[in-house]
Amino acid sequence: MEFLDDALVGQVADRLMEHAFQGWFYGDSIGFEGLVAATDATGNPRYADFSHGFFRAWGTRRTPWQPDDNTAPGHVMCEVIERTSDAVLRDAVLDLAAHLKARRHVGAVSVTFEDTLRSLRPPYGGVELSAEDRELMKDPGPGIWLDCMHFDPPFFAHLARIAPGAGWNRAAVDEILGCRDLLLNPETGLYRHYWLERTGEARIDGWGRGQGWALLGLLDVAAFAGDIDGAAEVRAEALRLARRMVSYQLEDGHWHAMVHEPRSGPESSTSAFMATAFYRGMAAGLLPEAEFAEPADRAWRAMRGKLDAAGNLTGVSAAVMSALVDQHYWHVPLDQIVPWGQGPVLTAETARRAWAGR
């Protein structure tokens, strides 16, 4: 079975460490997971040590809380706590979790933005909004975003091992199933990008990387939350979404930027996300090998084909932000060297090796 050689894994990780992490922003979760994965793949401690040092520095100056603290890589911080027994970081992570849990909720789901103009923007590509959407953009109100399925729920599920008996696994399962109820479009079987409280509706089907955030979140909660009420629903939803994504996989192993819309064009981070998810899910016994081994290999080969000689994953879109129309997602700039590109390359490689050695 083919693998990336350790030198190339190191190049991918080195490029990722050049990123100006701010603590915290979208993409940090998969970025730091990737750095810890790079240490696991190569045996070089510098990548996990960098992550631990960054986490520890954040932990000592974590307050005042910031608007994007919900994007903190809590899941991988729990992993580092388990590896290092760092009591200072453990206290910081528990403090962060309590802060996140205290935010306003819609049902079981934390509100991502009280003012969604922090994410919603005029569409890329110069697309004109309708009069109704122009009016909505003046004050779209609060909302909940798909990316968050990779943030709080896996963090809370893993935290149940750090602080057992505190109900964190219950919070994880309830939140991720609440996201499903708000964001899943049952007609397409795909998740929508966001839900607006003002309209009570979710919008924008099929964003590829967004399906990756959702599937990894579902798989991680399924792996860490235990066998509590609702856990079987999480496992079933992970399998359903994974099957749906296989149905949209292209012959070359990639997916369209919006997986159901060929006009949205190619985008390569989705192949890295899906390779991670498929291998991780198979290794955990959550996805059947007979169905997912071949799609996982095709996704991994597609990802491998987009790596240049310097270890950059090419063809990755910039921060998508969000917009009120589908066409925005067709025109997001590509070839960005970012955590949501480099990170899943590293997690995909480590997951492939773990599955091969199961």
Side-chain angles (χ1 to χ4, degrees):
M1 190 171 185
E2 182 187 2
F3 301 104
L4 302 183
D5 64 65
D6 286 357
L8 181 55
V9 172
Q11 286 178 295
V12 175
D14 288 342
R15 291 292 281 120
L16 179 53
M17 284 210 306
E18 293 172 8
H19 180 74
F21 290 103
Q22 299 176 44
W24 303 112
F25 193 64
Y26 291 79
D28 287 355
S29 56
I30 197 69
F32 280 106
E33 282 187 37
L35 288 173
V36 173
T39 284
D40 291 343
T42 64
N44 187 337
R46 68 189 296 259
Y47 308 114
D49 288 348
F50 171 87
S51 303
H52 184 198
F54 195 98
F55 298 161
R56 181 64 179 267
W58 161 79
T60 61
R61 52 171 176 75
R62 59 189 178 272
T63 55
W65 301 114
Q66 300 299 312
D68 290 325
D69 280 335
N70 68 306
T71 68
H75 179 24
V76 71
M77 285 200 283
C78 287
E79 175 68 24
V80 168
I81 290 165
E82 290 183 319
R83 295 182 184 206
T84 65
S85 301
D86 186 334
V88 172
L89 183 57
R90 181 182 184 275
D91 288 346
V93 161
L94 286 168
D95 196 20
L96 172 65
H99 162 67
L100 296 176
K101 190 70 171 61
R103 289 174 299 160
R104 188 170 74 85
H105 286 64
V106 173
V109 184
S110 300
V111 172
T112 308
F113 302 113
E114 290 292 349
D115 177 6
T116 56
L117 288 177
R118 294 188 63 240
S119 175
L120 285 172
R121 53 156 288 159
Y124 281 119
V127 179
E128 287 292 326
L129 295 177
S130 67
E132 181 181 6
D133 282 346
R134 289 197 300 273
E135 190 63 28
L136 182 59
M137 277 295 288
K138 293 177 182 177
D139 183 17
I144 290 169
W145 258 247
L146 173 59
D147 317 48
C148 297
M149 290 178 72
H150 194 248
F151 305 152
D152 286 5
F155 174 25
F156 293 163
H158 201 152
L159 195 63
R161 292 204 324 206
I162 304 294
W168 290 114
N169 52 354
R170 176 79 274 148
V173 168
D174 289 348
E175 181 138 355
I176 206 156
L177 291 177
C179 288
R180 176 202 62 184
D181 294 344
L182 286 176
L183 295 170
L184 178 63
N185 180 354
E187 294 181 4
T188 65
L190 298 169
Y191 280 81
R192 289 173 166 163
H193 192 180
Y194 58 87
W195 175 90
L196 294 179
E197 190 172 40
R198 184 172 299 282
T199 63
E201 294 178 340
R203 296 178 75 136
I204 311 299
D205 271 320
W207 172 41
R209 189 161 62 239
Q211 311 310 304
W213 292 125
L215 183 53
L216 287 180
L218 288 160
L219 290 168
D220 289 341
V221 170
F224 281 86
D227 199 23
I228 65 170
D229 288 347
E233 279 189 76
V234 176
R235 293 192 293 270
E237 177 58 14
L239 177 57
R240 188 211 60 77
L241 178 58
R243 284 172 169 161
R244 195 66 177 134
M245 288 300 290
V246 169
S247 77
Y248 282 108
Q249 190 176 24
L250 303 173
E251 191 63 31
D252 67 1
H254 286 294
W255 282 262
H256 297 301
M258 300 177 79
V259 300
H260 64 302
E261 177 50 82
R263 289 175 295 176
S264 66
E267 197 283 324
S268 57
S269 72
T270 304
S271 59
F273 270 83
M274 289 300 143
T276 299
F278 294 166
Y279 288 127
R280 186 177 290 179
M282 289 190 294
L286 297 166
L287 301 179
E289 295 184 9
E291 292 183 54
F292 289 95
E294 192 273 338
D297 288 345
R298 279 199 290 135
W300 183 89
R301 288 193 297 269
M303 176 197 81
R304 175 66 182 87
K306 285 292 186 176
L307 283 173
D308 68 17
N312 300 308
L313 184 64
T314 61
V316 176
S317 62
V320 169
M321 306 299 285
S322 53
L324 295 174
V325 292
D326 290 14
Q327 293 91 328
H328 162 83
Y329 297 75
W330 308 0
H331 298 289
V332 181
L334 297 178
D335 289 326
Q336 309 296 301
I337 310 306
V338 285
W340 52 88
Q342 301 297 103
V345 171
L346 299 167
T347 57
E349 176 64 16
T350 304
R352 179 175 168 89
R353 295 185 187 195
W355 176 69
R358 64 200 180 287

